[in-house]
Amino acid sequence: FFDAQVSTALSAGMPVPARVPGHGGRYRFREYEPVDRKVLGILRAVAHDEHPTEAWGKPPHQSIVHRTVVVTDELERGRVIGAARVISQDDTDFPRVAHLQFVCVEEDKRGNGLGSALVRWTETVSDEQFRASLLELEVDRKNTRAIALYEKLGYQQQQETSAASKAWSENPVIRRMLGPPRVLRFVKEITRLAPLGEVTN
């Protein structure tokens, strides 16, 4: 569980190893390391039903403020089985918004609450380190499992306000040509979060 000491270290941007709640210490969080790049790329590509390429594992540009965490299976000698990344928008707008870039878990490890735990980790980072009050994410509308997870964790779908989205919603010809938007946007208010250890599903 994330105790007070871990929370303080997280806020300072220090590495934070911690157990994923509910598994007797089998699964653990740790900070992303360069050696994880290849497996992270594979996890992300598979989650998107794409062929793994070097681009999937490429970290953000050094000018982008972000945190990336991986989940390891201690019964498999610390093998990386999941990961998540959250990006700070790093602006002065209020409310401040952080962006959950991705959450991915190895297919045969899903259903153990690891996705939920990774999302809560990004919420904690966004709240305590980035001082954001909103966390946003985008998900493929066909990824019903991910959508169900985000809705379960309190994320609400937001309507797009761009000119392209407005044209799509107001023009039946465009709707027939393009079909529904592929990506859906979800947002959650993340102030005054419950302790991470309370998430068990």
Side-chain angles (χ1 to χ4, degrees):
F1 300 90
F2 274 16
D3 57 16
Q5 182 177 5
V6 169
S7 180
T8 300
L10 191 156
S11 298
M14 298 169 59
V16 184
R19 290 185 300 160
V20 176
H23 297 281
R26 175 174 179 174
Y27 303 114
R28 297 184 68 87
F29 293 115
R30 71 164 170 78
E31 293 285 340
Y32 166 86
E33 300 172 356
V35 69
D36 302 320
R37 178 170 176 170
K38 183 175 181 179
V39 67
L40 179 60
I42 294 173
L43 286 169
R44 291 188 65 193
V46 170
H48 287 81
D49 293 322
E50 299 282 353
H51 180 72
T53 63
E54 184 177 353
W56 284 107
K58 187 176 181 180
H61 189 272
Q62 61 183 6
S63 64
I64 298 176
V65 179
H66 70 280
R67 292 284 300 280
T68 305
V69 70
V70 299
V71 169
T72 62
D73 187 338
E74 297 306 298
L75 294 186
E76 298 186 30
R77 307 174 75 175
R79 186 172 66 86
V80 174
I81 59 170
R85 175 177 293 148
V86 61
I87 295 174
S88 172
Q89 304 293 54
D90 197 29
D91 55 34
T92 58
D93 292 342
F94 185 83
R96 293 195 67 180
V97 180
H99 179 74
L100 197 168
Q101 185 181 27
F102 66 80
V103 171
C104 50
V105 176
E106 195 174 86
E107 187 170 3
D108 65 357
K109 299 295 184 181
R110 296 172 187 171
N112 292 308
L114 302 179
S116 296
L118 284 165
V119 173
R120 291 305 309 273
W121 181 89
T122 66
E123 293 173 354
T124 301
V125 170
S126 301
D127 179 28
E128 297 190 5
Q129 183 181 346
F130 297 161
R131 303 302 182 197
S133 57
L134 295 174
L135 181 58
E136 66 172 10
L137 61 92
E138 294 179 342
V139 59
D140 191 309
R141 69 181 303 112
K142 294 182 180 180
N143 193 344
T144 55
R145 183 166 187 165
I147 291 172
L149 169 65
Y150 296 134
E151 290 179 337
K152 176 182 176 182
L153 295 177
Y155 289 81
Q156 298 182 342
Q157 184 179 343
Q158 300 293 301
Q159 297 297 321
E160 290 293 338
T161 58
S162 65
S165 296
K166 183 177 181 181
W168 181 89
S169 64
E170 295 179 352
N171 191 318
V173 175
I174 292 179
R175 286 201 299 273
R176 286 196 298 270
M177 291 175 58
L178 301 180
R182 179 181 176 184
V183 175
L184 303 178
R185 180 173 179 262
F186 286 80
V187 175
K188 179 181 178 180
E189 184 177 352
I190 57 172
T191 54
R192 296 181 294 279
L193 290 171
L196 182 63
E198 291 186 13
V199 176
T200 57
N201 295 320

